[in-house]
Amino acid sequence: VQLQASGGGLVQPGGSLRLSCATSGFTLDSYAITWFRQAPGKKREGVACVGSLTLYADAVRDRFTISRDSLRNTVYLQMNNLKSEDTAVYYCARAASWKLVEAVGVWSESAYDYWGQGTLVTVSS
């Protein structure tokens, strides 16, 4: 099982980026994938999840869109109207099971068994 996040970079406030999480070694449709992020000096937090449900953190709802392409085994995170507070390393992670997600909460890291390496997003003028 592998997850590889990419697509990060430097963008101005108000700009857009699309992150990709390329997966292999499992059937993407059978698992939930969640994007997390960790800003400098802060705890890692959940951003968006695609699984039995599609869920967003309050901080990104209406600006970010998560999607899944089963043919390409890739999950995307389209980020629009980026703000300086979106600056962080972004990680994608695979949930061990949706039942576990329901049991511990979608933003609990204990629900996830495989993680990608992270991609840095910097929002700055």
Side-chain angles (χ1 to χ4, degrees):
V1 173
Q2 289 190 327
L3 296 90
Q4 185 166 358
S6 63
L10 174 64
V11 62
Q12 292 186 341
S16 298
L17 274 178
R18 188 178 78 161
L19 304 183
S20 299
C21 177
T23 70
S24 61
F26 64 99
T27 302
L28 182 58
D29 283 349
S30 298
Y31 292 86
I33 302 294
T34 294
W35 284 97
F36 289 81
R37 67 185 182 186
Q38 187 167 22
K42 294 190 176 181
K43 292 176 60 176
R44 189 155 54 185
E45 62 178 1
V47 173
C49 172
V50 59
S52 296
L53 300 173
T54 299
L55 302 168
Y56 296 95
D58 290 343
V60 307
R61 189 173 292 116
D62 299 328
R63 297 189 298 123
F64 290 11
T65 302
I66 190 170
S67 62
R68 173 163 53 190
D69 185 336
S70 300
L71 291 178
R72 291 181 171 81
N73 293 318
T74 301
V75 174
Y76 300 101
L77 184 68
Q78 177 67 43
M79 306 186 296
N80 298 329
N81 190 22
L82 283 160
K83 305 176 181 180
S84 58
E85 51 262 44
D86 296 318
T87 294
V89 177
Y90 284 72
Y91 302 86
C92 53
R94 189 191 81 165
S97 71
W98 192 254
K99 282 189 176 181
L100 184 56
V101 168
E102 290 179 319
V104 303
V106 65
W107 309 132
S108 172
E109 294 185 29
S110 62
Y112 298 88
D113 55 358
Y114 288 94
W115 292 76
Q117 83 288 2
T119 185
L120 176 63
V121 173
T122 303
V123 184
S124 175
S125 55

